[in-house]
Amino acid sequence: MNSKIKFLTFATVILTISSQTISIVVAQAKLTNQSKLFINGIGAVQIGMTVPQATKAAGIKLVGDSPNNNCYYVKPQNEPKNLSFMVTKGRISRVDVRQNTQITTLKGAKIGDTEARIKSLYPGQIKVTPHKYVQNGHYLTFIPKDRADQNYRVVFETDGKLVTQFRSGKLPEVEYVEGCS
């Protein structure tokens, strides 16, 4: 084999490996039911992004209410279902998970978990308050210790026994009981 052919074969192998690596990175960035919710976002979508930035980061189309300056919601056009993003002042401020038992927090908390499990996953960092609308229900609010995260929360809503929905985001929006209402 002459040196030109060897080089072209080598270059082709490198390009093939590079393109496969790129497609794997893109596939991992796409928002799915396996994406993890964290204190200031989910998957590659972070609190503070504009809707176009979040759409690009999610790798999926976000659709929803007409934009306004006060408060509105967008959600993935198809999957994952029962996931929505609150938008205030033109930026993502909160992530809501409802009726989706596949999405979990970084620690594995999800809809259907017991109050005891949530408290055990986040020892000493859960503040329990009465639910505004569900008799015997609670809000289990994760309060971070890290100073850099002090303006963020994860709020688990329960029926008094099990998590029924949860959300994460920045203060004060993450604590709005009625969302944008």
Side-chain angles (χ1 to χ4, degrees), residues 6-176:
K6 283 182 181 175
F7 176 75
L8 286 174
T9 303
F10 176 73
T12 303
V13 169
I14 294 298
L15 284 172
T16 303
I17 292 170
S18 296
S19 66
Q20 287 176 343
T21 304
I22 290 166
S23 65
I24 290 168
V25 170
V26 170
Q28 288 174 337
K30 185 176 180 186
L31 193 62
T32 69
N33 283 318
Q34 284 67 52
S35 297
K36 301 297 180 199
L37 182 110
F38 50 98
I39 197 159
N40 60 348
I42 183 169
V45 178
Q46 295 185 340
I47 301 302
M49 287 181 165
T50 63
V51 174
Q53 288 170 332
T55 297
K56 186 175 180 181
I60 55 176
K61 187 170 185 174
L62 298 176
V63 298
D65 303 333
S66 297
N68 67 50
N69 288 329
N70 298 323
C71 187
Y72 65 99
Y73 279 92
V74 295
K75 63 183 181 185
Q77 187 171 27
N78 297 312
E79 293 286 329
K81 298 273 187 225
N82 301 304
L83 174 71
S84 58
F85 299 92
M86 179 186 280
V87 182
T88 53
K89 297 179 184 166
R91 298 195 174 268
I92 304 292
S93 56
R94 166 174 148 171
V95 182
D96 288 74
V97 179
R98 293 186 173 97
Q99 300 171 328
N100 184 324
T101 56
Q102 292 180 283
I103 293 176
T104 70
T105 66
L106 288 172
K107 294 236 184 193
K110 65 186 184 306
I111 291 174
D113 281 351
T114 63
E115 288 190 0
R117 175 164 159 75
I118 299 302
K119 291 173 188 173
S120 73
L121 287 172
Y122 306 97
Q125 291 183 272
I126 296 292
K127 175 183 166 189
V128 180
T129 54
H131 199 289
K132 186 172 179 178
Y133 296 109
V134 178
Q135 188 173 1
N136 300 319
H138 299 110
Y139 299 108
L140 305 182
T141 304
F142 167 75
I143 301 172
K145 291 179 183 171
D146 190 339
R147 289 183 75 96
D149 294 330
Q150 66 186 358
N151 292 322
Y152 299 96
R153 301 286 187 270
V154 178
V155 179
F156 300 92
E157 292 192 30
T158 77
D159 60 8
K161 294 183 175 128
L162 304 177
V163 174
T164 57
Q165 60 188 353
F166 60 105
R167 60 186 177 266
S168 72
K170 70 182 192 75
L171 293 170
E173 291 92 333
V174 71
E175 292 186 332
Y176 291 171

